[in-house]
Amino acid sequence: MTTTTLLHLDSSTGAGDSVSRALTARFAAAWRARHGTAGRHRHRDLAADPVPVVRAAYESLGRRAGARGALPPDAVAALVEGAGEEREWALTRPLVEELRAADTLLLGAPMYNFTVSAGLKAWIDRVTFPGVLHDPGTGEALLRDTRVVVVATRGGGYGPGTPREHCDFQVPYLRAHFGNLGVAAENLHVVVAELTRAADDPALAGLRPLAARSLADAGARLDALAAAG
Ligand SMILES: Cc1cc2nc3c(=O)[nH]c(=O)nc-3n(C[C@H](O)[C@H](O)[C@H](O)COP(=O)(O)O)c2cc1C
């Protein structure tokens, strides 16, 4: 039996009322139902159990590793010098290996101050360690065939032609980042549920129908993605 792995990350600080958590949970449930015992579902909560931000020793080790081009985690371990780098690599390596092992990466990514949450950014900084996401033999991106499903939520509206379109540093950032990591364009799926604050912000009350449609569309897209792989 061929197994397949879903790495499911949530980064919203919201609990019961988090839209991204509800949507990623919906995708994960459908994915588990589809794959049964062949599916391995790994969940990581970057808000409740935050990844420490990178420190100076991460950078010193990263620079020495990066100078060698693509390299496997074992080769990075052999480059570690001193307690600081040991600590940084011990924090980084499990996250890198978890990502390398994932067939599907599911990311709950709320907008905080026009971009992603600090919790998600800390994870991105750690896993994007120089050289370890490329094949040492071919130089090819290891994430090329990884399916990435981003669930992007935000309180306001940032669609084409809206007054705040230019303030969206969430979706364009995530697209640029995963594209830069080598994820193939056809494997990168960004599902947006916006105007989530319309439910409780009187200034957005008139936009409630649009918010409801955005949420329904996001759910339907996630159901289709879960059914497809
Ligand atoms: C710290 C913080 C900053 C936020 N900044 C923005 C923002 O810049 N733009 C926006 O549209 N909504 C902003 N929001 C609202 C959230 O994007 C919105 O509540 C979204 O639904 C959060 O995702 P969640 O429902 O998955 O928790 C912010 C919320 C928080 C807690």
Side-chain angles (χ1 to χ4, degrees):
M1 182 173 57
T2 315
T3 59
T4 184
T5 302
L6 171 66
L7 175 57
H8 168 184
L9 306 179
D10 281 311
S11 62
S12 167
T13 53
D17 62 348
S18 163
V19 176
S20 61
R21 285 178 187 273
L23 289 171
T24 60
R26 173 173 171 163
F27 178 97
W31 184 94
R32 281 196 309 269
R34 173 170 159 79
H35 292 286
T37 55
R40 293 199 182 123
H41 176 207
R42 175 89 177 88
H43 182 238
R44 194 176 271 282
D45 190 330
L46 298 173
D49 187 14
V51 168
V53 295
V54 299
R55 301 194 353 192
Y58 173 100
E59 188 181 341
S60 59
L61 178 61
R63 284 191 184 199
R64 286 205 308 289
R68 286 163 172 79
L71 73 180
D74 278 345
V76 178
L79 295 175
V80 167
E81 289 174 9
E85 289 189 3
E86 207 166 298
R87 173 188 181 274
E88 289 300 303
W89 185 236
L91 289 168
T92 304
R93 182 173 184 158
L95 302 175
V96 167
E97 289 182 335
E98 201 171 62
L99 176 60
R100 284 168 49 123
D103 297 290
T104 297
L105 171 65
L106 172 65
L107 211 54
M111 177 187 277
Y112 288 171
N113 297 306
F114 299 138
T115 187
V116 298
S117 67
L120 177 54
K121 183 59 166 55
W123 177 86
I124 287 174
D125 286 346
R126 285 235 168 250
V127 297
T128 315
F129 188 89
V132 296
L133 297 180
H134 286 79
D135 185 315
T138 63
E140 285 206 348
L142 294 175
L143 301 188
R144 226 203 105 65
D145 298 325
T146 307
R147 191 165 66 131
V148 177
V149 179
V150 173
V151 178
T153 50
R154 53 237 198 148
Y158 298 82
T162 60
R164 287 203 163 179
E165 180 184 2
H166 66 288
C167 297
D168 181 1
F169 299 95
Q170 173 199 31
V171 168
Y173 163 68
L174 290 168
R175 281 193 184 283
H177 177 69
F178 286 107
N180 187 50
L181 286 185
V183 174
E186 64 270 23
N187 292 333
L188 178 56
H189 307 277
V190 179
V191 178
V192 176
E194 63 177 15
L195 294 166
T196 62
R197 297 298 305 276
D200 54 56
D201 183 343
L204 298 178
L207 299 173
R208 281 178 194 156
L210 281 181
R213 193 187 314 154
S214 178
L215 182 61
D217 287 352
R221 253 197 94 197
L222 287 167
D223 290 347
L225 285 167

